[in-house]
Amino acid sequence: MLDAIVLARAVPRWCAAMHAAAPELNALDGRLGDADLGATLDKCATLMEQALPELPDSLEGIFKRCAQASAKASGSSFGTLLTVALMTAGKHCAGRESLSTPDVAALLSEVIATLSARGGAALGDKTVLDGLDAIQRALSGAAAEAPALALAGAAVRESLDAFRDKPNRMGRARMFADKTIGLDDPGMVALLRMVEAL
C-alpha cells in the first residue's frame, strides 16, 4: 500500500539513487543524446532534498511538491516529463489517503497517456513509456497486496531486454536509427534505477 508516510520515506531514497546513478546515465545518454540525463536527475534530486523539510502530509501534496522542485531543475525533455508525471500523479491522488497495487496501475495508465500526449512518444518507440507500460501491466493484474516494487523491477528489466535489439524512435536517439540497436534506452535505465531505489 502506498500512503503519504511511505511516499515521504521513499523520496530521500529516490534522491540518493539519482545522485549515484548520474554518471551511468550521463554515459548512456552520451551515446544517444546530449549526455545530460544524469545531470538533470541529479539536479532534480538536489532540489527535492531541499524540499524535504516542508513536504506536505498527503499523497497529492507530496507529488505536487516534488513536481515543483523538478520543474525548477531543468528544461530538458526528460526533466519536463518527470515534472508532468509527478503533477499527474498528484492530481490523480487528490482526496485519496492510500493506493493499493491495482490503484498504482491505474495511476500509471493516466501518467502514460499524459506523457504520450505531451511528448509525442508512443508505446513501442523504445522510451521510458515502454518501461512504465511494462510496470502498469505487471501491476494491473496483481492482487491488492502484491509486492509491487518487486513486480515493477522485474517488469522494467524484462522491458529493457525486450527493447535492447530494437531502434529508438523518439528524441535525439532516433537520429542514430539502427545504431541504437543493441543499446539500452537511457530513460528506461533511469526508470529501473528509480524503482530499485524505492
Side-chain angles (χ1 to χ4, degrees):
M1 182 181 71
L2 177 65
D3 60 19
I5 294 175
V6 172
L7 183 58
R9 289 174 177 168
V11 174
R13 296 197 300 272
W14 184 94
C15 292
M18 294 305 95
H19 293 316
E24 174 195 18
L25 297 177
N26 281 338
L28 288 170
D29 197 34
R31 299 177 186 175
L32 305 174
D34 46 13
D36 69 344
L37 176 58
T40 294
L41 291 173
D42 184 59
K43 190 173 182 182
C44 287
T46 295
L47 291 173
M48 286 186 195
E49 285 171 332
Q50 293 172 5
L52 288 175
E54 56 190 51
L55 281 184
D57 59 0
S58 68
L59 285 173
E60 176 185 11
I62 295 171
F63 277 126
K64 288 187 175 181
R65 184 66 189 88
C66 288
Q68 291 166 357
S70 175
K72 294 177 183 177
S74 171
S76 74
S77 56
F78 198 94
T80 299
L81 292 178
L82 176 61
T83 299
V84 171
L86 291 168
M87 284 299 298
T88 301
K91 292 176 183 176
H92 183 90
C93 292
R96 306 190 67 162
E97 294 186 358
S98 64
L99 300 177
S100 66
T101 296
D103 291 335
V104 173
L107 183 156
L108 287 173
S109 291
E110 187 173 341
V111 167
I112 291 165
T114 302
L115 294 184
S116 180
R118 178 65 180 264
L123 295 179
D125 284 344
K126 193 178 177 180
T127 71
V128 68
L129 288 187
D130 294 299
L132 288 169
D133 178 64
I135 296 173
Q136 190 278 329
R137 287 185 283 106
L139 299 187
S140 63
E145 300 304 321
L149 291 176
L151 291 172
V156 180
R157 291 183 191 94
E158 290 172 6
S159 186
L160 279 164
D161 290 342
F163 280 90
R164 186 169 295 122
D165 292 330
K166 297 180 181 180
N168 284 80
R169 294 196 173 93
M170 275 300 295
R172 295 172 69 98
R174 75 182 185 280
M175 296 184 291
F176 294 89
D178 289 347
K179 292 182 180 179
T180 64
I181 294 174
L183 300 177
D184 287 329
D185 176 70
M188 292 172 71
V189 176
L191 178 62
L192 177 60
R193 299 293 173 254
M194 294 177 191
V195 172
E196 289 174 338
L198 302 177

